[in-house]
């Protein structure tokens, strides 16, 4: 053999050896063929059967007798092939429904199949259970949609399963979540709402009024008054004034010196002796002095400091994934429409301390919270008045001062977070004065008035979630437990409205410290 032929032979031998060595490995790498669905209808004659197959998959139908013809209503959905007189292959082509009817040689109907073809979602359950070993998820196809059934550990695993299934559909709405959560944790949310309102009001004003000239002659009037535009009017405090009035003249009445009594009318007498009447007062044609006829001045000073503290601690408990709401306040009517006969329809709006939250228990004991909290109160600012006709009082709709916070946070059980820390400061100041005179040193303060108002509001909202479990009623307390009304002697002599509260023995049984504990109402 030539060398060239010898080399070719060795190369062929080497290739054959490699192919023989890698053939088992290649065979293992290939996925095993999927066996078609096989339905044996032996013994069934002429009955209608339901058949559901995934798209792109096939089913084998065995007939009890030989078939000659087959009729498929919608060949675009499924196709039926006669492999042998008694074996038919049904292939799913597109999602939808159709039927297939089989006939024998005499034209009699052997079988009628109601065929439903769905999308092939067999890989969805396999992927979900592979990524989440603790889950037991089953997938059912409904036309182009799918339904997830089974059970998962918590709501977070259910959300993950839905997200995985959505990757196999064209739209997220095609996934129907029917999963069952094994352990539904209950979450108690403790919210602490603290609000401080500080207000400062200061007023200092001077009122001056002067009339120069006598009555009946030209007079000059000069005056100034504090308007207090910020607060609207003087609120209180101290008021000191000085008044001068020369328009009222003293009157002298005659009297009898003998009897020392006043005479009813003045009598003109000439040459009256000591025992007669007194002289008559002379009459005047003008009233008042020629200088400052009338003058008044007043100083008004007021200062007020206010402090309002509001505290609310609502506690709510909800199952993971469910919502809970709380409101401590009231409702006020708001007109919503007027009918043709003049009847006013109203709807009620809420105000007060409101809380709403939706907890979701995550893995490792963490809690995701979607929180909405609100503190509102009625106010005249922003109010609206509707006229109800002539002579009738108007209908006033109050406004609302609202502090609202909405957020989503994630906390561990027992952990706290401040979701709202709002500090609001509002300052108003008004200065009234006479032009030019307010800048005069020292005396300029007499010709100006100051009105000052300052308000500060600080709102703090803290949230703390807890994972809770039910407990026995004996370990729970209410303000009515152990409450006893005081008798007449205690009320009259000691001024008490109730006796000392005593906690039921079951509440402190087995505790280290023993004693009367519980609610105290004075």
């Amino acid at each position: 053999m030539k060398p060239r032929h010898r080399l070719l032979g060795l190369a062929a031998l080497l290739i054959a050896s490699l192919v023989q060595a890698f053939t088992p490995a290649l065979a293992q790498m290939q996925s095993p063929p999927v066996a078609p669905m096989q339905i044996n209808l032996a013994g069934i004659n002429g009955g209608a059967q339901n058949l559901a197959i995934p798209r792109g998959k096939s089913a084998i139908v065995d007939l009890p007798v030989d078939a000659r013809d087959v009729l498929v209503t919608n060949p675009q959905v499924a196709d039926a092939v006669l492999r042998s007189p008694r074996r038919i292959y049904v292939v799913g082509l597109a999602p939808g429904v159709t039927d297939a009817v089989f006939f024998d040689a005499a034209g009699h109907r052997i079988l009628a199949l109601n065929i439903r073809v769905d999308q092939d979602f067999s890989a969805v359950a396999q992927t979900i259970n592979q990524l989440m070993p603790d889950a037991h998820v089953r997938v059912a196809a409904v036309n182009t949609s799918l339904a997830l059934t089974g059970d998962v550990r918590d709501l977070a695993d259910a959300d993950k399963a839905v997200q995985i299934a959505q990757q196999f559909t064209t739209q997220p709405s095609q996934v129907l979540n029917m999963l069952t959560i094994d352990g539904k944790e209950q979450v108690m949310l403790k919210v602490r709402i603290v609000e401080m309102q500080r207000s400062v009001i200061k007023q200092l004003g001077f009122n001056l009024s002067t009339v120069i000239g006598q009555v009946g002659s030209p007079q000059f009037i000069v005056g100034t008054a504090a308007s207090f535009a910020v607060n609207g009017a003087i609120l209180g405090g101290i008021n000191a004034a000085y008044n001068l009035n020369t328009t009222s003249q003293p009157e002298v009445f005659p009297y009898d010196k003998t009897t020392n009594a006043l005479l009813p009318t003045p009598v003109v007498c000439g040459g009256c002796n000591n025992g007669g009447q007194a002289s008559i007062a002379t009459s005047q044609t003008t009233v008042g002095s020629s200088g400052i006829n009338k003058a008044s001045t007043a100083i008004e000073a007021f200062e007020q400091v206010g402090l309002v503290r509001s505290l609310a601690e609502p506690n709510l408990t909800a199952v993971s994934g469910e919502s809970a709401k709380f409101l401590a306040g009231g409702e006020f009517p708001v007109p919503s429409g007027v009918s043709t006969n003049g009847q006013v329809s109203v709807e009620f709006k809420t105000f007060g301390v409101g809380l709403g939250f939706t907890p979701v228990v995550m893995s490792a004991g963490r809690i995701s919270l979607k929180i909405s909290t609100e503190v509102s109160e009625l106010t005249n600012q922003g109010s609206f008045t509707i006229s109800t006709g002539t002579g009738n009082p108007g209908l006033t709709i109050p406004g609302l001062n609202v502090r609202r916070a909405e957020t989503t946070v994630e906390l561990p059980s027992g952990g706290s977070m401040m979701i709202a820390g709002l500090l609001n400061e509002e300052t108003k100041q008004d200065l009234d004065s006479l032009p030019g005179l307010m800048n005069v040193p020292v005396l300029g303060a007499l010709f100006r008035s100051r009105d000052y108002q300052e308000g500060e509001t600080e709102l703090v909202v803290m949230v703390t979630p807890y994972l809770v479990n039910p407990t026995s009623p004996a370990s729970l307390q209410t303000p009515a437990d152990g409450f006893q009304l005081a008798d007449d002697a205690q009320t009259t002599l000691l001024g008490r409205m109730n006796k000392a509260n005593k906690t039921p023995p079951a509440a402190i049984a087995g505790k280290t410290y023993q004693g009367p504990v519980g609610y105290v109402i004075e």
Side-chain angles (χ1 to χ4, degrees), residues 25 47 77 107 127 137 144 191 212 226 235 253 272 283 287 291 321 347 389 407 425 442 460 495 497 500:
V77 174
T127 303
V137 180
T144 59
V191 179
I212 302 175
L235 300 178
F253 289 88
C272 294
S283 61
V287 179
E347 61 180 8
T407 185
E425 181 178 356
V442 182
V460 175
M497 299 179 61

Side-chain angles (χ1 to χ4, degrees), residues 300-321:
E300 297 174 340
F302 174 76
E303 182 174 357
Q304 182 186 69
V305 178
L307 178 64
V308 179
R309 173 178 177 265
S310 301
L311 175 64
E313 295 189 15
N315 297 332
L316 286 179
T317 303
V319 177
S320 176

